[in-house]
Amino acid sequence: MATISSNLLFIAFILYLVATLFYGGSIKSKKELNEKKETNKWGKIAVVLTIVGFIAQLGYFITRWIAAGHAPVSNMFEFTTFFGMALVGAFIVIYFIYRTTLLGLFTMPVAILVIAYASMFPKDITPLIPALQSYWLHIHVTTAAIGEAILAISFAAGLIYLVKAIDQTKLNKRNFWLEVVMFALVAVLGFVAVSTVFSAAGYHEKFNWTDKHGTVAVVEYTMPAISGPHAGELLTKDGFKPLIEMPAFINAKKLNTVIWSLMAGILLYGLIRLILRKRIAAALQPLVKNIKLDFVDEISYRSVLIGFPVFTLGALIFAMIWAQMAWSRFWGWDPKEVWALITWLFYAAFLHLRLSKGWHGEKSAWLAVLGFVIIMFNLVAVNLVIAGLHSYAGS
Amino acid sequence: MKDVKCECGHVNPHGTVLCEACGKVLDERENKDQLLDMRYEGSARRSQTYNKTIVDKIWNFFSSVKVGVWLIIITLLASILGTILPQKMYINLPPDVYYEQEYGWFGKLYYQLGLHDLYGSWWYLLLISMIGISLVICSLDRVVPLYKALKAQRVTRNEGFLKRQRLFGTNHVIDDQDFDIVKKHLKEKHYHVREENGDLLAEKGRFSRWGPYVNHVGLIIFLFGGMLRFFPGMYVNENLWVKEGETTAVPETGETFYLQNNQFILQHYDKNKDKAFEKAIEQAGEVVKNYQSNVVLYKRVGESLPGEKPKLEKVTDYKVRVNHPLTFDGYSVFQSSFRSELKAMTFMLTNKNTNQTFGEMKINFEDPKEKYDLGNGYSVKILNYFPDFEFDKNGDPSTKSRVPNNPAFIFQMISPENPDGEKSFVAIKQTIEPFGDNTYKMAFKGIETKNVSGFIVRKDSTLWVIILGGILFMIGVIQGAYWNHRRIWVQNKNGQIWIAAHTNKNWYGLKREIEKVIEDTKLNMPDDQLQSEQADKGGV
């Protein structure tokens, strides 16, 4: 069952990739993309592929659930994969409201990156610790992820807005920051690339190191150590000698992964720039020329409106009910709880700002981008860096 | 203050921007060519009208959405600070030691700034209460005039009002039946259609306008519920440790309820049985499957004198597990932790030279005996017992507590050869023979432990208020987010048919709906004047 499950996920992944190409194709046609019910042939194929992919991933989810005996949302791999699936699902819903394939061209790559990122984590089916043994695991985590996914659609729409609205003829602050967003997406790809390469090569090296309490422990690297652990002593013969040694309070292994990802990201980004001969956002600009700004602005706003109640319900209310049962208090200022509150406050501020005219359009699009950054921070950094009650066993 | 009478005859309160009845612009502050600002229907809001007294100033400060947003942003940023290092409730050392030891100068600074208890700090609570005040005033400032304006609106609208709607169009030629077709379509789309003087107003989803106010009320109730916790008796939160086999009064119940702990159970996943998790268990080592205390809950019957053993009546048996608290009479008992305590230690009296043994003795820590007779003339006396051994300031042996965390003994070993006995000091991993070489020693044989279950006893009478607030908030936020307030005006002006439309959000949906409504008629789709306005500016 577990094998069927991972095959289905792989099929879904490939389908999403192919669908993205078709979304690209659907843009090429000269027809107006705004507010028209008709989608061209390419677009229709893209949507069908997306839906089939979504069904395949649903199959992955169900079969893994059967294999594990609990909903597969209990570790970093499972949760992130589910988030990717929710993103595709949210896109499908929004697509049937607004019928624009351009949104697919921007959402699907993000979903693909999310799923690719997820599969860099250990994929074993993990048993549930006592606190997680509750049907609220399924309810709370899935609802929260779906809410975040709908909110993330506003990021995709915001990105379209910014790509279209920002002048790319000269370098300025706005297109610099937009390019930073593009680079961040490429850097995720960089992380996936280096992780895949080193794991395919079976790279391992071990160190003895001393932590901040003076205890000596062994740490195993799966990438050559650029940043070595504190007082590290290489145990593996012919292992790569660290270039810099880190102080004890820094997790040198995680930092090493970040360094490698950034290096790969820069390399990839450089290659892309070399081929495109312009900024990525500038290269994307022709694709969005047929869409109206206030139309994407509305999609972005509407996604927040739809996603906000779902997020509140899943990430705060259901979370509180479960916390009351498992930990005896509905709120305990655990970092993950606080970051859910921060996300919620952010989108509350977003919705209030939309009341005043000056915050429509580009400012609103930047906020949508920032909202997604917060969601990603909550998913990645809070789980892996700021350890708390919610931290998954990640590496 | 003087009211304003509009040319349509309606009397508006002082400060009204758009006539409540016909929509005529009464207060021409804005540019005439621009679209109307339809927020709050241009009603007379207190904050926009008065600004003289100190009350006005405070009211105006808190009624501003801008101030509200700033409060949200500041709270957001402050909350981030609290996640940099663990908060004081998640550390297991005194804060003044912990932060510096773990995080150096940064930790020390963090502690000195009070960020280790950020969410309980006075200024964080002040921020939250300011948000609360802002919620109340913002809502009151808007909801009352908005309600009045929407209630007073008439079907026939002022020309200027219609022209300056975002969706607006005129039609010269129409068929006679067009008006009826439109009306039929509107009704099919669940619009509430009103007619006056041959003019038409179709409206739906007005209740979604109340969504924000409903959710604000929910939030206020929620915050109020959080405040109630500070009142005595509303909130109980105690730790309770019960050893296996013991019965203890549940704290804060006025000695009414007693909990007996029969057994504490700790289970791990077994990779041979739980096949699906085989690989993960190999990776992680041991994974806990269950923390459970099998308990019996008793209730005291009748009064008992101090010192007398209370009479208990069994209420229920229960298996307290994580996620499955025992609840009774408003209290909940949660499985929160456990520890093992030494119950007994076993020693063997052994001849150091021959390794021959002369019987074993088991010391029960709850009831250590003075003398253990091993038979055949061998016996051991306990001269001194230190349950939690340490050397005090003078270097003498002493005990930190009565809990046998680190037991130590001074034994007197009596044998036929040494009827006066040999003295030996025995602690964990060390033996001291104060008077030189002994013939015998106390060889350590084994320990017995006993589990102590850690419970949290909680009673939270504020929960109902919190739940009510949460439910109201959800209702309000869904009401406001998933429905839209749409109005379509179809009116006769100067022999033409004018169509204007307004929605508080989702203009795309409104446009699709109007397209459907004017199907099979000669009416033209009204223009989106915002889009053409932007196009004029050289935008799209």
Side-chain angles (χ1 to χ4, degrees):
Chain A
M1 196 59 98
T3 326
I4 300 174
S5 177
S6 46
N7 286 340
L8 280 171
L9 181 62
F10 185 69
I11 291 168
F13 187 78
I14 298 297
L15 283 170
Y16 293 158
L17 271 177
V18 179
T20 309
L21 297 179
F22 277 89
Y23 282 119
S26 75
I27 309 301
K28 289 268 183 239
S29 89
K30 281 189 178 165
K31 269 188 202 158
E32 268 259 304
L33 291 160
N34 298 289
E35 312 185 24
K36 290 279 181 292
K37 291 255 158 161
E38 303 92 42
T39 307
N40 61 29
K41 205 170 68 197
W42 285 74
K44 276 182 187 147
I45 296 172
V47 174
V48 169
L49 285 174
T50 309
I51 294 173
V52 176
F54 182 74
I55 292 168
Q57 202 179 352
L58 213 57
Y60 139 83
F61 186 76
I62 294 166
T63 45
R64 193 172 166 103
W65 188 326
I66 295 168
H70 60 257
V73 286
S74 67
N75 58 33
M76 197 66 184
F77 162 71
E78 291 176 342
F79 178 78
T80 314
T81 309
F82 182 80
F83 176 64
M85 180 165 95
L87 203 54
V88 175
F91 161 69
I92 293 171
V93 172
I94 303 279
Y95 171 78
F96 281 103
I97 300 177
Y98 289 104
R99 305 265 173 183
T100 170
T101 51
L102 185 58
L103 190 63
L105 185 63
F106 279 74
T107 313
M108 295 308 286
V110 177
I112 289 168
L113 274 182
V114 166
I115 296 170
Y117 173 77
S119 33
M120 298 301 116
F121 291 90
K123 290 196 253 309
D124 303 328
I125 296 179
T126 42
L128 296 182
I129 57 163
L132 294 182
Q133 295 165 14
S134 165
Y135 54 86
W136 284 103
L137 168 71
H138 316 154
I139 302 172
H140 154 61
V141 182
T142 52
T143 319
I146 292 169
E148 288 180 349
I150 303 172
L151 292 172
I153 297 291
S154 84
F155 160 70
L159 217 52
I160 297 175
Y161 191 103
L162 295 174
V163 167
K164 186 178 169 78
I166 292 177
D167 176 29
Q168 292 285 356
T169 49
K170 252 200 317 219
L171 182 67
N172 56 39
K173 218 161 67 184
R174 291 147 78 219
N175 61 34
F176 170 77
W177 283 108
L178 181 59
E179 206 56 15
V180 169
V181 175
M182 296 295 169
F183 172 74
L185 293 173
V186 174
V188 176
L189 198 62
F191 167 73
V192 171
V194 282
S195 304
T196 312
V197 167
F198 285 122
S199 103
Y203 193 90
H204 283 285
E205 61 179 4
K206 282 185 179 171
F207 290 93
N208 262 339
W209 73 292
T210 314
D211 71 9
K212 61 187 172 193
H213 301 294
T215 320
V216 177
V218 177
V219 61
E220 188 176 356
Y221 276 56
T222 49
M223 296 180 191
I226 294 172
S227 67
H230 178 63
E233 179 198 337
L234 187 61
L235 299 176
T236 312
K237 230 174 62 176
D238 303 328
F240 187 84
K241 286 231 172 64
L243 300 180
I244 355 156
E245 185 183 305
M246 286 295 133
F249 65 90
I250 285 177
N251 186 324
K253 188 185 165 187
K254 282 175 187 168
L255 181 69
N256 190 49
T257 310
V258 172
I259 294 173
W260 272 106
S261 309
L262 280 178
M263 285 187 352
I266 291 168
L267 190 73
L268 275 173
Y269 181 79
L271 274 174
I272 295 171
R273 285 294 293 265
L274 216 62
I275 296 165
L276 296 176
R277 303 208 159 269
K278 53 181 134 182
R279 281 184 287 275
I280 296 180
L284 289 172
Q285 216 164 26
L287 295 174
V288 301
K289 68 171 185 287
N290 283 329
I291 199 140
K292 280 185 193 154
L293 282 178
D294 78 318
F295 180 57
V296 266
D297 182 52
E298 182 165 327
I299 296 177
S300 178
Y301 177 41
R302 193 92 191 284
S303 316
V304 176
L305 273 174
I306 298 174
F308 186 72
V310 181
F311 178 80
T312 311
L313 195 65
L316 294 171
I317 298 202
F318 289 162
M320 286 190 214
I321 297 174
W322 188 15
Q324 179 72 30
M325 288 166 67
W327 298 320
S328 81
R329 81 289 181 291
F330 60 86
W331 193 258
W333 300 106
D334 170 73
K336 191 87 178 180
E337 289 174 345
V338 177
W339 274 94
L341 176 69
I342 289 167
T343 313
W344 184 80
L345 286 173
F346 178 83
Y347 281 102
F350 177 98
L351 290 173
H352 285 95
L353 283 172
R354 286 292 306 204
L355 291 175
S356 55
K357 260 191 184 154
W359 283 86
H360 290 212
E362 193 179 320
K363 279 186 187 165
S364 174
W366 281 114
L367 287 180
V369 171
L370 191 57
F372 186 67
V373 172
I374 295 177
I375 289 175
M376 284 296 107
F377 185 85
N378 198 0
L379 173 66
V380 180
V382 177
N383 282 344
L384 301 182
V385 183
I386 307 175
L389 295 171
H390 278 79
S391 59
Y392 297 123
S395 54
Chain B
M1 280 292 169
K2 53 184 187 304
D3 293 337
V4 188
K5 192 169 179 183
C6 175
E7 63 181 29
C8 72
H10 183 76
V11 179
N12 294 286
H14 174 66
T16 306
V17 183
L18 301 175
C19 170
E20 291 175 335
C22 74
K24 184 181 182 328
V25 182
L26 299 174
D27 187 348
E28 195 59 77
R29 263 182 282 194
E30 39 186 340
N31 189 339
K32 276 198 176 183
D33 304 325
Q34 271 181 6
L35 296 179
L36 285 182
D37 182 0
M38 287 289 286
R39 281 183 299 159
Y40 320 112
E41 302 295 303
S43 57
R45 283 160 54 201
R46 189 191 195 285
S47 61
Q48 306 300 305
T49 315
Y50 306 100
N51 193 15
K52 283 206 183 96
T53 63
I54 184 87
V55 178
D56 292 341
K57 300 255 198 280
I58 293 172
W59 182 277
N60 295 355
F61 177 77
F62 281 109
S63 73
S64 151
V65 172
K66 207 168 144 191
V67 170
V69 170
W70 272 113
L71 287 174
I72 293 175
I73 299 292
I74 295 168
T75 311
L76 186 159
L77 294 174
S79 305
I80 293 178
L81 286 181
T83 62
I84 297 175
L85 296 183
Q87 289 288 295
K88 70 162 192 192
M89 54 275 201
Y90 291 109
I91 62 172
N92 46 18
L93 282 174
D96 48 341
V97 180
Y98 175 85
Y99 289 97
E100 195 173 356
Q101 178 188 317
E102 293 287 314
Y103 305 100
W105 64 268
F106 181 75
K108 192 176 173 189
L109 184 72
Y110 196 81
Y111 170 67
Q112 280 168 346
L113 289 174
L115 300 181
H116 67 296
D117 185 22
L118 184 136
Y119 307 110
S121 67
W122 63 269
W123 58 275
Y124 194 79
L125 294 182
L126 183 71
L127 272 175
I128 302 280
S129 21
M130 278 171 80
I131 287 181
I133 296 168
S134 165
L135 280 169
V136 174
I137 294 184
C138 262
S139 306
L140 284 179
D141 191 56
R142 286 164 176 80
V143 70
V144 177
L146 179 64
Y147 175 79
K148 282 188 187 154
L150 285 175
K151 212 176 142 114
Q153 64 172 334
R154 274 191 223 134
V155 175
T156 305
R157 284 280 165 150
N158 181 276
E159 282 181 24
F161 176 85
L162 294 175
K163 269 188 197 160
R164 286 167 69 183
Q165 292 299 315
R166 177 171 163 183
L167 284 182
F168 175 71
T170 57
N171 299 276
H172 297 277
V173 244
I174 62 157
D175 287 344
D176 295 340
Q177 72 272 27
D178 279 357
F179 207 76
D180 291 323
I181 294 174
V182 166
K183 215 163 81 181
K184 196 180 106 221
H185 284 164
L186 284 169
K187 280 187 175 151
E188 279 167 8
K189 297 228 164 255
H190 307 289
Y191 275 88
H192 174 65
V193 181
R194 281 161 66 193
E195 267 181 284
E196 268 172 33
N197 328 316
D199 294 333
L200 180 149
L201 160 62
E203 184 176 10
K204 77 170 172 190
R206 192 197 282 188
F207 87 106
S208 87
R209 292 294 282 270
W210 315 127
Y213 309 105
V214 173
N215 82 44
H216 285 178
V217 169
L219 279 178
I220 292 160
I221 294 175
F222 188 95
L223 291 177
F224 175 72
M227 233 165 63
L228 279 181
R229 179 174 292 195
F230 299 112
F231 288 88
M234 297 300 281
Y235 184 73
V236 169
N237 180 26
E238 297 284 335
N239 290 315
L240 172 65
W241 291 92
V242 190
K243 287 182 195 171
E244 278 177 332
E246 288 193 354
T247 306
T248 314
V250 181
E252 301 283 338
T253 59
E255 312 258 303
T256 313
F257 288 99
Y258 286 77
L259 202 64
Q260 178 186 333
N261 182 7
N262 284 335
Q263 195 191 0
F264 174 79
I265 299 167
L266 170 65
Q267 284 171 302
H268 290 98
Y269 283 96
D270 180 348
K271 66 178 173 189
N272 301 317
K273 268 193 223 153
D274 307 294
K275 275 282 173 206
F277 308 131
E278 201 180 340
K279 276 189 197 155
I281 295 170
E282 271 169 22
Q283 272 285 320
E286 296 219 299
V287 181
V288 176
K289 189 177 189 176
N290 189 22
Y291 298 109
Q292 175 179 326
S293 299
N294 294 348
V295 300
V296 186
L297 179 72
Y298 293 101
K299 193 175 181 178
R300 192 188 56 186
V301 223
E303 291 294 313
S304 56
L305 296 165
E308 191 189 4
K309 238 190 159 186
K311 256 198 202 160
L312 298 179
E313 191 177 70
K314 181 172 158 185
V315 181
T316 182
D317 283 310
Y318 195 80
K319 295 175 174 120
V320 184
R321 288 177 293 148
V322 178
N323 273 311
H324 300 273
L326 162 68
T327 48
F328 58 92
D329 200 38
Y331 294 88
S332 297
V333 175
F334 295 88
Q335 175 67 51
S336 94
S337 53
F338 77 99
R339 64 167 187 246
S340 288
E341 233 176 63
L342 281 176
K343 185 180 166 194
M345 254 181 174
T346 317
F347 292 98
M348 301 236 286
L349 183 64
T350 311
N351 185 311
K352 273 161 67 178
N353 300 322
T354 61
N355 267 339
Q356 208 184 343
T357 60
F358 301 91
E360 65 174 62
M361 56 183 269
K362 182 168 140 186
I363 305 167
N364 188 341
F365 290 116
E366 272 156 33
D367 183 24
K369 284 190 249 173
E370 265 179 49
K371 187 180 174 186
Y372 294 80
D373 201 342
L374 303 176
N376 302 327
Y378 294 94
S379 64
V380 177
K381 271 190 190 166
I382 297 181
L383 298 180
N384 220 333
Y385 161 48
F386 309 99
D388 199 355
F389 169 73
E390 64 170 0
F391 286 108
D392 68 10
K393 277 180 230 148
N394 307 324
D396 295 329
S398 69
T399 187
K400 264 188 277 189
S401 69
R402 304 308 308 163
V403 186
N405 288 331
N406 182 25
F409 306 89
I410 297 175
F411 291 119
Q412 188 173 29
M413 301 170 285
I414 298 160
S415 53
E417 302 102 292
N418 296 308
D420 292 340
E422 297 172 321
K423 276 190 188 166
S424 172
F425 173 83
V426 178
I428 289 172
K429 285 187 179 167
Q430 62 173 328
T431 304
I432 297 167
E433 296 176 353
F435 302 110
D437 256 0
N438 290 342
T439 321
Y440 293 92
K441 68 171 179 187
M442 296 296 287
F444 172 75
K445 185 159 177 246
I447 52 165
E448 268 177 52
T449 58
K450 171 188 237 186
N451 288 316
V452 190
S453 295
F455 300 104
I456 289 177
V457 179
R458 192 162 301 224
K459 181 185 180 184
D460 194 347
S461 311
T462 68
L463 229 44
W464 295 108
V465 184
I466 302 265
I467 290 170
L468 177 72
I471 291 173
L472 263 183
F473 177 80
M474 272 324 292
I475 292 174
V477 84
I478 286 172
Q479 184 180 343
Y482 294 168
W483 278 270
N484 319 293
H485 180 213
R486 292 175 177 173
R487 273 172 296 173
I488 302 171
W489 293 275
V490 184
Q491 319 222 313
N492 283 299
K493 300 279 173 194
N494 317 326
Q496 298 176 334
I497 296 290
W498 287 14
I499 301 181
H502 177 74
T503 180
N504 57 342
K505 56 184 177 293
N506 187 8
W507 291 86
Y508 174 80
L510 177 65
K511 283 188 244 173
R512 293 293 77 76
E513 202 155 66
I514 295 175
E515 273 170 11
K516 284 271 161 57
V517 165
I518 58 172
E519 238 170 42
D520 313 321
T521 70
K522 281 189 177 158
L523 293 166
N524 298 319
M525 182 66 197
D527 292 327
D528 187 335
Q529 304 197 86
L530 187 70
Q531 279 181 356
S532 30
E533 204 176 86
Q534 281 173 349
D536 292 344
K537 286 182 197 155
V540 191

